[in-house]
Amino acid sequence: MTSSMSDSAPLVFRLHAGTPSVVRKVLLEQGWEEYDEEMHKEDDWNLYWRVSAFHNSDYQNLKPWQRLNHHPKVVGITRKDSLARNLRRMKGAFGSALYNFSPVAFILPNDYTRFLEAYTVHHLANGGRATYWICKPVDLSRGRGIFVFRDIKDLVYDSPVVVQKYISNPLLISGYKFDLRIYVCVKSFCPLIIYIHQEGLVRFATEKFSLTSLDNVFAHLTNTSINKFGPRYSTDKEHVGQGCKWTLNKFRCFLRSQNSNELLLWQQINNIVTLTLLAATPSAPFSPNCVELLGFDVLIDENFKPWLLEVNYSPALSLDCPADNTVKKALIHDLIDLMNYSQMDGLRQRGYLTKRFINLCYSQALQTKTSPVYLIPKHTPGFTRQKRSHSQPRSSFEKNEDKLVQSDVSVPPCRVGDFILTFPFNDATLKASQENLDVKIAFQELHRLNNHLAAFCNLKDERRKECA
Ligand code: ADP
């Protein structure tokens, strides 16, 4: 992936303390140079990567050639309580038929009375049989503080929590529960541009699933941070193997071996991602030159229905096992390629040489309604693999630099590496996504797409039956 640097100085990255080492490794492999206070001027960098959120001033002072790896205000979907609140709002506004992919959730203590009502209703509806619930602290991650319960007397908490209906019939592989970590890149919120990575992770529990042992975290939670300390982590488990992870590719092979309706499952997962991000879009401010890599955790039940468990901000990028090595390095390579830096680098260099662009910062672009520099490259639509290439001719913007700071909201590339464009997915959604997103058209088109797909899958099923 190393690019030729013959015609330009290397791109420069800054990493905040705690950035996973794979990010540095990939950027160096791609020929970037690390920011050095002694060597570089204050704004002489192209990408600043942080695990935690940036400060408002970081966005305000952004230069046209600089990018950040977070959009502002993404917490609307990445905190457990905000996600529950936002999805509930969307359910209320657009109907529970559409927003039926997240388990019913209550934010306690505020929703305690509502939870009590739901608990009683479920209890009676089940003829006294147990309904299972899961309690999660709102601001913790990696499975910390989570427990599953049946009886309300076991619900004990001393900080705000989300209590969610527990999916008690998960799809199992050889008796083991698992969930999927789907990597999503929001390249822009205005217009909304979503890519889903084809590769991802399957994260297994390391002990067999059983509803008789609710307090066994190694059977009920699929977090690696928990299972790597489980007694059976290194055991060669039937089908699952050693450790607790598969790549999504391996999972696809498994689905094929089971004759499952894979296409429908992925489309449902795409829908979950789009509908969740549509919930976040209204609050996301205009933020050119930011990207966001999110980790969507999806659990599949025994009826093959995918459920959204949560959306992770700065998903873990540590390399703990072979599956991590396969997935995460390629993911970061593709993410950097998706940013398509070839034009921006030239802008930084000339900005520094001529000082012409130095004052055209993000906030000024906003105030003067000057179109910002979008991350969307000029290109022709189609399934072309977009690779950053420093040896590409840059004549279009070298001839007319001013044009560069004008936006050119064209069709984003359909595929960059293993990142697949999932929104917008046709002319109508492209048009609807620009400026003030027309959510209703987005829903309408998603609905149409799903109907097409369902018809296609039915046809395929019928043909298969005829052939059998
Ligand atoms: P964290 O941010 O702490 O990882 P999650 O919401 O991802 O919190 O939950 C941790 C794990 O608990 C998940 O990976 C999954 O295995 C399990 N889990 C969470 N919510 C549910 C649910 N509603 N039904 C079944 N299992 C769940």
Side-chain angles (χ1 to χ4, degrees):
M1 296 244 181
T2 311
S3 305
S4 154
M5 294 285 162
S6 56
D7 62 340
S8 61
L11 291 150
V12 176
F13 65 89
R14 285 179 69 185
L15 303 183
H16 192 250
T19 301
S21 60
V22 68
V23 177
R24 173 179 284 114
K25 206 169 170 181
V26 166
L27 287 162
L28 292 174
E29 266 179 35
Q30 292 210 5
W32 289 57
E33 185 177 277
E34 185 154 6
Y35 180 82
D36 179 338
E37 268 178 13
E38 310 267 293
M39 253 177 66
H40 296 99
K41 292 202 177 125
E42 203 189 335
D43 283 319
D44 193 11
W45 51 268
N46 297 92
L47 170 67
Y48 188 6
W49 188 291
R50 279 182 81 114
V51 171
S52 54
F54 287 100
H55 305 291
N56 282 346
S57 58
D58 292 322
Y59 293 104
Q60 279 153 10
N61 297 327
L62 206 58
K63 301 289 182 282
W65 56 84
Q66 299 174 333
R67 294 173 193 187
L68 306 178
N69 70 317
H70 294 299
H71 284 272
K73 300 211 174 150
V74 182
V75 282
I77 52 167
T78 54
R79 257 182 70 115
K80 293 179 177 70
D81 51 348
S82 316
L83 178 67
R85 208 172 287 123
N86 262 320
L87 292 181
R88 187 190 297 165
R89 178 178 58 79
M90 294 302 269
K91 217 180 240 181
F94 301 105
S96 50
L98 203 57
Y99 279 87
N100 65 351
F101 53 82
S102 76
V104 173
F106 302 89
I107 306 158
L108 304 191
N110 283 2
D111 290 342
Y112 188 77
T113 316
R114 290 183 53 228
F115 170 62
L116 204 57
E117 276 168 24
Y119 174 86
T120 313
V121 168
H122 275 95
H123 203 66
L124 294 177
N126 268 359
R129 268 189 302 122
T131 297
Y132 297 86
W133 301 90
I134 186 165
C135 176
K136 319 186 212 183
V138 295
D139 50 3
L140 290 184
S141 59
R142 292 183 270 135
R144 287 172 295 174
I146 296 184
F147 61 93
V148 182
F149 67 97
R150 226 161 52 154
D151 194 325
I152 202 162
K153 74 173 167 30
D154 295 326
L155 172 61
V156 180
Y157 56 94
D158 54 12
S159 64
V161 292
V162 165
V163 170
Q164 211 175 45
K165 187 130 186 270
Y166 187 60
I167 308 297
S168 55
N169 60 340
L171 183 67
L172 303 176
I173 296 182
S174 296
Y176 295 94
K177 176 176 171 177
F178 63 91
D179 71 0
L180 310 181
R181 164 59 56 88
I182 307 288
Y183 294 103
V184 174
C185 173
V186 184
K187 203 170 166 196
S188 147
F189 274 99
C190 330
L192 183 61
I193 300 177
I194 308 171
Y195 285 86
I196 300 186
H197 206 258
Q198 288 284 83
E199 252 309 1
L201 291 167
V202 182
R203 306 168 323 153
F204 285 93
T206 44
E207 293 194 16
K208 291 207 175 184
F209 184 76
S210 162
L211 287 169
T212 57
S213 56
L214 293 185
D215 53 359
N216 184 355
V217 288
F218 305 120
H220 289 277
L221 306 189
T222 52
N223 304 78
T224 308
S225 46
I226 289 182
N227 282 286
K228 69 180 174 192
F229 298 111
R232 302 201 67 240
Y233 178 73
S234 307
T235 312
D236 194 359
K237 297 170 282 298
E238 186 192 348
H239 269 109
V240 173
Q242 284 188 349
C244 64
K245 277 185 197 165
W246 278 6
T247 62
L248 265 193
N249 200 30
K250 185 163 180 184
F251 180 60
R252 281 197 186 90
C253 295
F254 167 80
L255 289 179
R256 269 169 230 147
S257 73
Q258 305 290 303
N259 270 333
S260 332
N261 197 338
E262 198 193 334
L263 198 62
L264 205 59
L265 178 68
W266 296 121
Q267 183 52 37
Q268 284 173 330
I269 292 176
N270 287 355
N271 290 348
I272 289 179
V273 170
T274 306
L275 292 169
T276 305
L277 288 168
L278 284 171
T281 304
S283 63
F286 176 70
S287 50
N289 294 15
C290 300
V291 287
E292 191 77 51
L293 179 68
L294 296 167
F296 277 63
D297 291 347
V298 173
L299 184 88
I300 302 168
D301 71 18
E302 64 186 3
N303 302 315
F304 250 75
K305 179 180 162 63
W307 294 90
L308 176 69
L309 299 184
E310 73 158 345
V311 181
N312 292 274
Y313 188 78
S314 278
L317 292 174
S318 55
L319 305 181
D320 288 337
C321 64
D324 279 347
N325 290 334
T326 309
V327 172
K328 293 178 181 174
K329 207 165 158 220
L331 172 77
I332 300 302
H333 267 294
D334 289 343
L335 187 71
I336 304 298
D337 288 343
L338 190 57
M339 295 187 201
N340 190 30
Y341 266 101
S342 55
Q343 296 186 340
M344 306 297 284
D345 186 38
L347 199 58
R348 178 185 120 237
Q349 287 178 58
R350 269 188 306 288
Y352 268 89
L353 289 176
T354 66
K355 301 273 179 236
R356 250 184 95 183
F357 289 106
I358 204 94
N359 294 320
L360 187 79
C361 67
Y362 164 75
S363 57
Q364 281 172 318
L366 198 62
Q367 282 159 17
T368 59
K369 297 256 189 302
T370 307
S371 300
V373 180
Y374 282 95
L375 299 187
I376 312 159
K378 262 188 164 174
H379 70 99
T380 43
F383 278 80
T384 46
R385 189 183 165 98
Q386 289 249 340
K387 282 274 153 219
R388 182 175 67 86
S389 162
H390 284 265
S391 54
Q392 263 171 11
R394 298 175 176 183
S395 54
S396 61
F397 71 96
E398 279 173 356
K399 278 185 206 145
N400 189 354
E401 286 163 331
D402 291 336
K403 254 194 178 163
L404 248 188
V405 289
Q406 301 298 314
S407 73
D408 179 13
V409 187
S410 54
V411 186
C414 294
R415 178 176 192 141
V416 176
D418 278 336
F419 270 117
I420 309 290
L421 178 72
T422 55
F423 193 91
F425 52 87
N426 61 12
D427 285 347
T429 47
L430 177 71
K431 204 157 163 257
S433 71
Q434 287 169 6
E435 303 200 356
N436 290 331
L437 179 80
D438 192 334
V439 179
K440 285 209 172 118
I441 292 188
F443 290 152
Q444 198 178 302
E445 292 301 312
L446 263 184
H447 193 62
R448 211 197 296 258
L449 179 71
N450 293 338
N451 285 347
H452 272 305
L453 196 78
F456 173 73
C457 289
N458 286 342
L459 200 73
K460 239 174 99 181
D461 266 3
E462 277 168 27
R463 293 237 170 98
R464 206 176 25 218
K465 278 181 202 147
E466 275 168 24
C467 292

